Amino acid sequence: MTRRRLWTLIAVCAATFMLLVDITIVQVALPRIQRDLHASLTSLQWVIDAYALALAALILSSGSLADRYGRKRVFMAGIAIFTAGSALCGLARSADFLIAARAIQGIGGAAMFATSLALIGQEFHGAERATAIAAWGSTAGAAVALGPLVGGIVTAALGWQWIFFVNVPLGVVSLAMAQPLLANVSDPAAARLDIGGLLCFSGALFGLVFALQRGNSAGWASAQIIGPLVAAALLLAVFIVIELRQEHAMFDLALFRNRTFCGVSVATFLLGGGMFSMMVFIALCLQNLLGFSPLGGGLRMLPMTSLVFVVPLLVRRFAPAMPQRVILSVGMALVSLGLFLLHDVGAHSSWTVLLPGLVAIGVGIGLANPAVAATGLGVVAPSRAGMASGISNTFRIAGLATGVAAVGAIFKERIASSLAASVPHSSAHLADVVASSGLHRLGGGPHVVAAARVAFASGFDTIALVGAVATLIGAIAALLLVRARDFARAPSGAAGGGGTREAVLAGGESA
């Protein structure tokens, strides 16, 4: 590997680490953000969802822009936007400002995410390309594993603002390295940007998440909720019509004629909605119910996040010999089991009650993540792997955004119901305070604090069970729908796992 290619890889991996770590690093800081900005639970959900919605809505469009105008240009624009958004996040003095800045981060993150593998694909070939992709994958795993710990350390030592400010020097360094190193490769035959599809898909996602987050406070039968839900359904229908009529669709619906692609898409969405959304509430539980600091909470999430990184390395040698549907189903089932084991938190539990569930979840995600990529890319021809990869990432992040909204609504409703039964004349405001704030800050005497602890634990137990059911459905979908005969044949003639590397490489070149 030449020196130029090495520094190219470092620049791409640094940018990838920066955008992915911001998904998990923020979760540990949410309780501190809530206290400093006096944010409601809905606002905390939007801190996560503003970023996730922008990512989900723009990944495919960013890939189209990269093909048309050049991957280097889109990648560098993404770094610049993400870095500016990070600086604005750190400067936020209100929840609304922070949410808007997180959306800006998401816009930049989508451009970086859509082009990172493509840049590796254009710069590296043969064995070097496989090594570079492995390094990129390890960087992504490390970002997930280290996010809660880094978030805890930075929040405890410097304040939550610095989990965003730290991105600024990283972004500047990445830009400085990328400018002289990367070549701006484009596709002269690339299709025009699908503006109609982008607007309809983004609007549908926003309407759904908005309705889920405001349903409890506005009333599920109110016009404020029914209107956005109807609008979301109509926009989704229009989006489908637009994509079906496109010669070069942004979101190729023809891929869903493949039963295996449908199965892995369902599993991916439910993994995002049932599990990754729960990480927000695990962080709230560790700090707001069990009383740990941001660093203490981050450390206690390590049994889960470290396994997400370690397990794929341990099973890499054996995975190709096993059917992908088995690996994916077992991984999803272990996640479901882990969430079910979390369904035992009491008002005065020790954090060790969470430990068996966190370990099972970590192993399950470690198995499921590579299987999702291998299956989603392995069932399409190499020429369509970029589209398949983009759709897979869109399903995962859309699941996260939807899950945070839906799980948060159930969490808050369960807390409100518990408080209504134990605290006479309790208000919706009290339920929101219990859901989002540290319980030791509550007024009203020991009886109210005790009732709040019980309500919080009850809400957490309920959403853990909901997540367990969702991921179990994903495991069943993978087991029933994923079939070995649906896998595309690689040039070597190997099916399934054997075709994965070629598909990944093709996906990197066209993403």
Side-chain angles (χ1 to χ4, degrees), residues 407-474:
V407 168
I410 296 169
F411 181 60
K412 187 174 176 181
E413 190 281 331
R414 186 69 192 91
I415 288 174
S417 296
S418 178
L419 287 173
S422 56
V423 180
H425 312 298
S426 62
S427 63
H429 174 70
L430 177 61
D432 191 79
V433 170
V434 172
S436 60
S437 305
L439 303 183
H440 62 283
R441 294 174 176 265
L442 285 174
H447 171 68
V448 173
V449 173
R453 294 186 68 86
V454 171
F456 190 104
S458 176
F460 184 83
D461 288 348
T462 299
I463 60 176
L465 186 59
V466 169
V469 172
T471 48
L472 181 60
I473 293 172

Side-chain angles (χ1 to χ4, degrees), residues 227-447:
L229 287 175
V230 171
L234 291 175
L235 285 171
L236 184 59
V238 174
F239 171 75
I240 292 172
V241 172
I242 290 174
E243 298 309 295
L244 287 174
R245 298 181 66 180
Q246 293 265 10
E247 184 178 355
H248 301 286
M250 175 182 76
F251 196 105
D252 190 355
L253 296 171
L255 291 174
F256 292 93
R257 295 172 185 165
N258 185 307
R259 197 177 87 170
T260 294
F261 193 80
C262 290
V264 73
S265 297
V266 170
T268 301
F269 183 86
L270 292 174
L271 184 64
M275 175 54 234
F276 289 118
S277 64
M278 275 296 299
M279 292 182 71
V280 174
F281 301 94
I282 292 172
L284 290 175
C285 178
L286 286 166
Q287 294 184 51
N288 288 352
L289 179 65
L290 304 184
F292 292 105
S293 66
L295 176 56
L299 285 171
R300 284 159 180 82
M301 292 177 75
L302 275 178
M304 173 179 63
T305 56
S306 60
L307 286 170
V308 173
F309 175 66
V310 171
V311 168
L313 301 178
L314 295 178
V315 303
R316 183 186 301 172
R317 183 177 301 176
F318 312 103
M322 299 178 64
Q324 290 297 336
R325 73 185 185 103
V326 173
I327 298 174
L328 180 54
S329 297
V330 169
M332 294 285 292
L334 282 172
V335 172
S336 178
L337 173 62
L339 289 168
F340 182 77
L341 292 174
L342 295 185
H343 173 64
D344 196 27
V345 174
H348 300 283
S349 292
S350 164
W351 85 273
T352 54
V353 171
L354 300 173
L355 189 56
L358 294 177
V359 170
I361 290 169
V363 174
I365 296 175
L367 290 173
N369 267 343
V372 163
T375 305
L377 293 174
V379 297
V380 300
S383 61
R384 307 180 79 190
M387 174 71 71
S389 177
I391 291 175
S392 177
N393 288 326
T394 300
F395 267 91
R396 183 192 301 267
I397 300 168
L400 168 64
T402 305
V404 168
V407 168
I410 296 169
F411 181 60
K412 187 174 176 181
E413 190 281 331
R414 186 69 192 91
I415 288 174
S417 296
S418 178
L419 287 173
S422 56
V423 180
H425 312 298
S426 62
S427 63
H429 174 70
L430 177 61
D432 191 79
V433 170
V434 172
S436 60
S437 305
L439 303 183
H440 62 283
R441 294 174 176 265
L442 285 174
H447 171 68

